Amino acid sequence: LSDSTDKARVLIVFYSRDGSTEALANAIADGARDEGADVRVRRVRELVSAETMALAPGWAASAERMNALFPAPTSEDAIWSEAVCMGSPSRFGSPSSEIRAWVETLGSLWVRKQLLDKVGSAFGSVSSPHGGLETTILGLYPTMMHLGLIIVPQGYGHAASMRAGTPYGVGAVSGGGKRLPPTEDDLDIARHQGARVAKAAIATRQLRPGA
Ligand SMILES: Cc1cc2nc3c(=O)[nH]c(=O)nc-3n(C[C@H](O)[C@H](O)[C@H](O)COP(=O)(O)O)c2cc1C
């Protein structure tokens, strides 16, 4: 466990190829840190072939850049955490296989109830406004429920919520080949989500005695 047990321990695990989900992960991390949390940001690794990564200009270089910045998540990260945020670009309306592959390494933690009563929250990115942002985010929640996480959705608590994000979790619309970065509203909402998760991690501590 962390030395600073008074601080919320927030783990953010994401996949990203073009940087949109990465930017949201960083903003969620900033929001949690502003709330005093210890934060670990982790990027799951590629599953697709080098040939697939070569299909789009920039994918391979972007992956290399991000992998130098963010370690791959481990089970120890999940055990350390009090809150787990998961983010993924949409893949045909669902979370990416890369984030799913990490989730499927958590079986032994599930058996030992090691994630039970921790906090969970999800976020995502799409290329088109109705391209499946909500279904991608919602696609992460059943897994969190099986793990026994306490789901903290984004709701409409932030002033920008009526024009950006989703009530399920923050998201961004990257405009396909334009690779648009998240907007200021998206990033504000992401910071809000990170702060909310950090507060919820502290508020739910009585459910995890001895953790
Ligand atoms: C195989 C594949 C499937 C995709 N499916 C969708 C989709 O269903 N809806 C959508 O809006 N974008 C889809 N996209 C686009 C990405 O989700 C989108 O560009 C996202 O913003 C990328 O996030 P990133 O910058 O974090 O990599 C798909 C991309 C790939 C490679």
Side-chain angles (χ1 to χ4, degrees), residues 126-160:
V126 283
S127 64
S128 61
H130 303 286
L133 180 57
E134 287 96 331
T135 54
T136 299
I137 294 170
L138 289 172
L140 291 164
Y141 283 135
T143 296
M144 293 188 181
M145 292 173 187
H146 281 247
L147 294 169
L149 299 180
I150 298 162
I151 303 298
V152 173
Q154 174 55 23
Y156 284 91
H158 190 275

Side-chain angles (χ1 to χ4, degrees), residues 16-21 59 89-93 125-128 131 174:
S16 181
R17 275 190 210 163
D18 289 323
S20 174
T21 318
W59 271 356
S90 183
R91 295 292 184 253
F92 307 116
S125 177
V126 283
S127 64
S128 61
S174 65

